[in-house]
């Protein structure tokens, strides 16, 4: 490997070394989906919160139906959500699934085990019970699933829909979670125009704004805004300073190479009154293709925060590769998704995980650089390469470069 180029893992580690999870905040459950829990959640209320019926049927005293069939007068209805009257000895109350068990009742007889039909019908005067029950039959006791102060969710849990539902069920309306990182995008390039505009000489459509905005959202972060900078250090410095105000991370595209008009590189080399501007940037060469030129650093905002900056190349394919290999781990770090052992917690509804495939054709790769190649799925080559048996060839996914 060329001495002047950093291995991708080493470069990414340098970028991540200056990052830490954002300070957790208390959020309503409705705003916490997809975030990482920052504290253990314990039950405030038991589950179920009260003893209730597990069936549609009739609440009874088990002793009153020990010898069946037996007919009992029906003293009233107990719909879900109602506070029932106590159950008098020798009577029954019609009860719905989930309704609170009346005081004095200790069992529920299923409607199927009576002479009554199920469904919306008038309250009967009496019910004939055809099957005996034991105390506790078809009854869910208060707290039998979760008791008060029981552990429900551990810190570090990704708050998917099921986790939020569990928190709500034990009486929590808010959780302490790592907030969604706010990411500002600064796209450099005097040659860029808004997508769809007529192109004049030397101009090209700006596709990086849409690409980065979409990738940021897909990786669970919040887009703080998109700004554009022409190819001057002064303009980029102003754009970075403005973007830092409402951002936890700034991602730039373009201007990190060795050209005469690369503004990120100019700022990194000490252009202007950099200390006063509060901009500290570094450029590097990374042993990967595409994405060799890279940059990172910080911008100080008006409150004295040092907002991290990650500078990507300008080519859209380089942006995609660089985002996946460098920015995505940075977002994981900021959002608290880093797990022990270097693993990363998944982002709900994020991009699909990597898959293994076989190369259907050969292609060249630059020496000393990790190559990232867009591919398309193709039919298995015929004949199969030496060493690949027919069964393995049929079951494998085969790919070829898409360009």
């Amino acid at each position: 490997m060329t001495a002047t180029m950093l291995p991708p893992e080493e470069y990414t580690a340098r970028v991540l070394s200056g990052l830490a999870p954002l300070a957790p905040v208390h959020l309503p459950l409705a705003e916490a989906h997809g975030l990482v829990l920052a504290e253990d959640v314990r039950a405030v209320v038991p589950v179920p919160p009260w003893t209730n019926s597990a069936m549609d049927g009739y609440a009874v005293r088990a002793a009153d139906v020990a010898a069946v069939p037996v007919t009992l007068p029906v003293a009233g209805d107990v719909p879900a959500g109602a506070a029932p009257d106590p159950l008098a000895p020798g009577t029954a109350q019609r009860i719905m699934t989930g309704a609170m068990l009346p005081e004095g009742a200790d069992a529920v007889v299923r409607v199927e085990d009576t002479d009554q039909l199920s469904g919306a019908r008038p309250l009967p005067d009496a019910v004939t019970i055809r099957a005996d029950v034991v105390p506790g039959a078809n009854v869910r006791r208060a707290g039998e699933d979760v008791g008060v102060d029981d552990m429900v969710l551990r810190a570090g849990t990704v708050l998917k829909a099921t986790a939020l539902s569990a928190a709500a069920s034990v009486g929590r309306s808010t959780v302490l979670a790592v907030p969604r990182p706010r990411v500002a995008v600064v796209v450099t390039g005097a040659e860029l125009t808004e997508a769809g505009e007529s192109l004049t000489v030397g101009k090209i459509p700006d596709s990086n704004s849409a690409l980065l905005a979409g990738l940021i959202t897909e990786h669970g972060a919040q887009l703080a805004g998109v700004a554009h900078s022409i190819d001057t250090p002064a303009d980029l410095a102003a754009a970075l300073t403005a973007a830092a105000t409402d951002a936890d991370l700034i991602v730039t595209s373009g201007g990190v190479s060795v050209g005469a008009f690369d503004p990120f590189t100019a700022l990194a080399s000490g252009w202007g009154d950099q200390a006063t501007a509060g901009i500290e940037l570094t450029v590097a060469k990374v042993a990967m293709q595409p994405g060799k030129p890279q940059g990172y650093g910080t911008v100080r905002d008006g409150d004295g925060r040092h907002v991290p900056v990650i500078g990507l190349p300008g080519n859209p394919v380089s942006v995609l590769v660089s985002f996946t290999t460098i920015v995505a781990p940075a977002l994981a770090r900021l959002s608290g998704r880093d797990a022990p052992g270097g693993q990363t917690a998944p982002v709900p509804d994020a991009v699909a995980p990597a898959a293994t495939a076989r190369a259907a054709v050969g292609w060249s790769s630059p020496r000393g650089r990790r190559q990232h190649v867009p591919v398309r799925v193709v039919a298995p080559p015929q004949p199969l390469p030496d060493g690949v048996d027919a069964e393995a060839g049929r079951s494998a996914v085969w790919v070829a470069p898409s360009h």
Side-chain angles (χ1 to χ4, degrees):
M1 180 171 292
T2 305
T4 57
M5 289 193 293
L6 295 173
E9 293 82 3
E10 181 179 339
Y11 177 75
T12 301
R14 291 188 184 187
V15 174
L16 296 182
S17 67
L19 304 180
L22 300 176
V25 294
H26 286 281
L27 292 170
L29 296 183
E31 299 177 15
H33 183 256
L35 304 184
V36 173
L37 188 63
E39 67 175 357
D40 294 340
V41 170
R42 295 181 176 273
V44 178
V45 298
V47 180
W50 54 76
T51 300
N52 66 88
S53 176
M55 295 284 179
D56 293 329
Y58 291 83
V60 298
R61 296 172 183 264
D64 290 339
V65 294
V68 293
V70 61
T71 299
L72 300 176
V74 177
D77 257 332
V78 189
D85 294 328
L87 180 70
T91 68
Q93 291 184 22
R94 187 168 66 173
I95 194 168
M96 305 300 121
T97 300
M100 181 184 294
L101 196 70
E103 179 184 348
D106 60 7
V108 173
V109 179
R110 301 184 309 161
V111 68
E112 295 91 337
D113 295 327
T114 74
D115 66 339
Q116 298 298 310
L117 297 175
S118 60
R121 297 179 180 280
L123 182 71
D125 294 329
V127 58
T128 298
I129 296 168
R130 297 168 174 164
D132 59 352
V133 294
V134 298
N138 303 316
V139 170
R140 296 182 291 211
R141 297 292 175 187
E144 71 175 37
D145 294 331
V146 179
V148 173
D149 205 40
D150 281 356
M151 180 71 67
V152 178
L153 299 170
R154 294 281 186 184
T157 299
V158 177
L159 293 169
K160 298 183 179 181
T162 51
L164 293 173
S165 175
S169 72
V170 297
R172 296 291 296 265
S173 62
T174 65
V175 288
L176 184 68
V178 181
R180 211 174 300 280
R182 301 167 301 165
V183 184
V185 172
V186 177
V187 177
T188 70
E191 75 280 12
L192 300 178
T193 62
E194 294 289 339
E197 288 187 359
S198 298
L199 299 180
T200 57
V201 175
K203 301 294 185 178
I204 61 173
D206 170 23
S207 61
N208 282 340
S209 293
L211 176 61
L212 285 169
L215 289 171
I216 286 164
T217 302
E218 289 170 5
H219 283 77
Q222 175 186 344
L223 181 65
V226 177
H228 295 81
S229 167
I230 60 174
D231 294 323
T232 68
D235 201 61
L236 177 57
L240 291 175
T241 302
T245 302
D246 298 311
D248 303 304
L249 173 68
I250 302 171
V251 178
T252 72
S253 69
V256 294
S257 193
V258 294
F261 298 97
D262 282 325
F264 195 106
T265 303
L267 290 176
S269 65
W271 175 90
D273 192 354
Q274 193 168 332
T276 303
I279 299 173
E280 298 182 4
L281 303 178
T282 299
V283 292
K285 296 178 181 179
V286 182
M288 66 184 201
Q289 184 194 48
K292 177 181 174 182
Q294 298 286 340
Y296 67 98
T298 61
V299 177
R300 189 174 64 243
D301 74 355
D303 296 327
R305 292 187 310 134
H306 290 271
V307 180
V309 179
I310 299 178
L312 309 181
N315 178 273
V317 176
S318 297
V319 169
L320 176 60
V321 171
S322 301
F323 189 101
T324 304
T325 57
I326 300 166
V327 180
L331 293 177
R333 175 67 56 85
L334 292 172
S335 61
R337 294 178 184 278
D338 279 7
Q343 299 298 310
T344 299
V347 181
D349 302 323
V351 292
T356 300
R358 289 180 179 269
V361 298
W363 62 86
S364 62
S365 179
R367 183 181 298 274
R369 295 170 68 185
R370 180 177 302 162
Q371 188 181 48
H372 298 260
V373 180
V375 297
R376 55 190 173 86
V377 176
V378 298
Q382 297 298 332
L384 291 173
D386 293 342
V388 179
D389 61 40
E391 182 176 353
R394 286 193 300 269
S395 61
V397 176
W398 294 89
V399 296
S402 59
H403 55 272

